[in-house]
């Protein structure tokens, strides 16, 4: 009996050690995946400064996520996020599909810019779709991978974005800013029910949903109203103020398609 208890204790210790080793490797895996795979996917600068992992819960906190703008846009970045909470099913780390129970993006600071008839997030979505199309055209067997394609699939059960802000980037407002709150985003089962998808496919879904919220009437109406108010304030005072304000407002007219 004592021998059986000893063997059972050893097995439990081995299991615990294996789980701890697996979870402890999760931080570098996430950081490396974001910093290496992100720029190839979006064709922009993408960086993540640090990942903190709780060994007991398997939860991760991603710090200082940065998404740059595509070529042709003047603003320094498309999005900055101070912290992203990730809850990973650590038992799935050794499987072909990594299951992420929840991702919560908190207070993203989004810069929205239009240039040459397209906005920066639509350009990013186009870049993602172009990357996915290139990968699909290779038609490589599932067991093979390339240096650009991670072998793991991912399934995100619950994805939320909350308390975000969208700031309009334009040279027309002379260094002033116009902002609007971003409606919260809630997505479920990204990657398909239990099957999972490639990181590119999953995050392509996320960027598409993000672009839809950024360009929704809830955001653009608020930004347009802010532009109108700014136009009035830039119109000056005294005689001729109405004419000046009208000229400023005319410059802003149609900036967001309204």
């Amino acid at each position: 009996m004592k021998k059986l208890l000893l063997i059972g204790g050893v097995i439990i210790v081995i299991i615990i050690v294996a789980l701890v080793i697996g979870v402890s490797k999760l931080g570098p895996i996430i950081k490396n995946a974001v910093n290496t795979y992100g720029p190839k996917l979006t064709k922009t600068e993408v960086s993540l400064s640090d990942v903190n992992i709780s060994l007991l819960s398997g939860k991760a906190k991603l710090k200082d996520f940065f998404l740059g703008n595509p070529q042709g846009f003047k603003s320094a970045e498309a999005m900055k996020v101070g912290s992203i909470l990730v809850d990973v099913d650590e038992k799935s780390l050794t499987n072909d599909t990594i299951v992420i129970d929840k991702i919560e993006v908190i207070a993203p600071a989004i810069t929205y810019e239009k240039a040459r008839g397209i906005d920066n997030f639509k350009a990013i979505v186009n870049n993602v779709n172009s990357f996915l199309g290139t990968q699909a055209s290779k038609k490589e067997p599932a067991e093979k991978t390339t240096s650009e394609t991670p072998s793991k699939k991912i399934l995100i059960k619950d994805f939320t974005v909350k308390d975000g802000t969208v700031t309009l980037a334009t040279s027309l407002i002379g260094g002033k800013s116009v902002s609007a709150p971003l409606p919260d985003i809630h997505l479920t089962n990204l990657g398909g029910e239990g099957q999972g998808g490639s990181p590119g496919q999953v995050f392509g879904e996320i960027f598409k949903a993000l672009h839809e919220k950024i360009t929704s009437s809830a955001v653009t109406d608020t930004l347009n109203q802010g532009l109108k108010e700014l136009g009035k304030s830039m119109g000056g005072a005294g005689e001729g103020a109405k004419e000046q304000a009208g000229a400023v407002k005319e410059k802003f007219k149609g900036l967001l398609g309204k």
Side-chain angles (χ1 to χ4, degrees), residues 108-242:
I110 293 169
T111 302
Y112 180 68
E113 181 180 351
K114 292 191 73 172
R116 301 178 304 282
I118 191 172
D119 64 70
N120 52 340
F121 276 86
K122 181 60 176 177
I124 292 173
V125 169
N126 290 345
N127 288 344
V128 172
N129 289 337
S130 174
F131 177 86
L132 295 178
T134 300
Q135 293 300 302
S137 67
K138 292 180 180 180
K139 297 182 179 179
E140 296 190 357
E143 64 270 13
K144 286 189 177 182
T145 59
T146 69
S147 59
E148 295 184 351
T149 309
S151 58
K152 292 282 190 179
K153 292 183 178 181
I154 59 174
L155 169 64
I156 303 176
K157 291 185 176 180
D158 193 270
F159 178 89
T160 59
V161 179
K162 64 180 185 179
D163 302 328
T165 303
V166 179
T167 299
L168 179 66
T170 173
S171 60
L172 295 179
I173 55 181
K176 299 181 182 295
S177 63
V178 175
S179 299
L182 177 74
D184 291 350
I185 298 173
H186 184 210
L187 306 172
T188 58
N189 293 320
L190 293 168
E193 288 281 355
Q195 300 176 354
S198 72
Q201 292 169 338
V202 171
F203 287 103
E205 293 180 53
I206 291 173
F207 280 120
K208 180 181 178 181
L210 184 60
H211 180 254
E212 289 175 354
K213 288 293 184 180
I214 292 171
T215 56
S216 67
S217 59
V219 174
T220 56
D221 287 352
T222 301
L223 292 177
N224 271 309
Q225 184 60 36
L227 287 173
K228 290 178 183 178
E229 295 300 324
L230 189 59
K232 291 178 182 179
S233 68
M234 294 174 66
E239 187 175 352
K242 290 184 179 180

Side-chain angles (χ1 to χ4, degrees), residues 8-190:
V10 170
I11 292 173
I12 291 173
V13 169
I14 291 173
I15 292 173
I16 292 174
V17 169
L19 287 174
V20 169
I21 291 174
V23 174
S24 66
K25 289 182 178 179
L26 185 59
I29 288 173
I30 293 175
K31 183 177 178 179
N32 183 67
V34 171
N35 292 342
T36 301
Y37 188 61
K40 295 174 183 177
L41 178 67
T42 64
K43 297 180 183 177
T44 69
E45 182 182 353
V46 179
S47 64
L48 184 64
S49 67
D50 195 19
V51 179
N52 289 337
I53 301 290
S54 170
L55 296 181
L56 295 178
S57 65
K59 294 181 180 180
K61 184 176 183 180
L62 284 56
K63 292 185 176 181
D64 299 328
F65 173 81
F66 176 90
L67 173 66
N69 264 324
Q71 291 184 351
F73 294 90
K74 295 181 179 180
S75 48
E77 74 275 341
M79 181 168 59
K80 285 183 178 179
V81 187
S83 62
I84 301 173
L85 302 181
V86 180
D87 186 1
V88 179
D89 180 356
E90 62 270 19
K91 294 188 297 295
S92 70
L93 294 177
T94 57
N95 298 336
D96 292 336
T97 299
I98 296 177
V99 178
I100 301 174
D101 291 323
K102 186 172 184 179
I103 293 181
E104 187 175 23
V105 181
I106 304 170
I110 293 169
T111 302
Y112 180 68
E113 181 180 351
K114 292 191 73 172
R116 301 178 304 282
I118 191 172
D119 64 70
N120 52 340
F121 276 86
K122 181 60 176 177
I124 292 173
V125 169
N126 290 345
N127 288 344
V128 172
N129 289 337
S130 174
F131 177 86
L132 295 178
T134 300
Q135 293 300 302
S137 67
K138 292 180 180 180
K139 297 182 179 179
E140 296 190 357
E143 64 270 13
K144 286 189 177 182
T145 59
T146 69
S147 59
E148 295 184 351
T149 309
S151 58
K152 292 282 190 179
K153 292 183 178 181
I154 59 174
L155 169 64
I156 303 176
K157 291 185 176 180
D158 193 270
F159 178 89
T160 59
V161 179
K162 64 180 185 179
D163 302 328
T165 303
V166 179
T167 299
L168 179 66
T170 173
S171 60
L172 295 179
I173 55 181
K176 299 181 182 295
S177 63
V178 175
S179 299
L182 177 74
D184 291 350
I185 298 173
H186 184 210
L187 306 172
T188 58
N189 293 320
L190 293 168

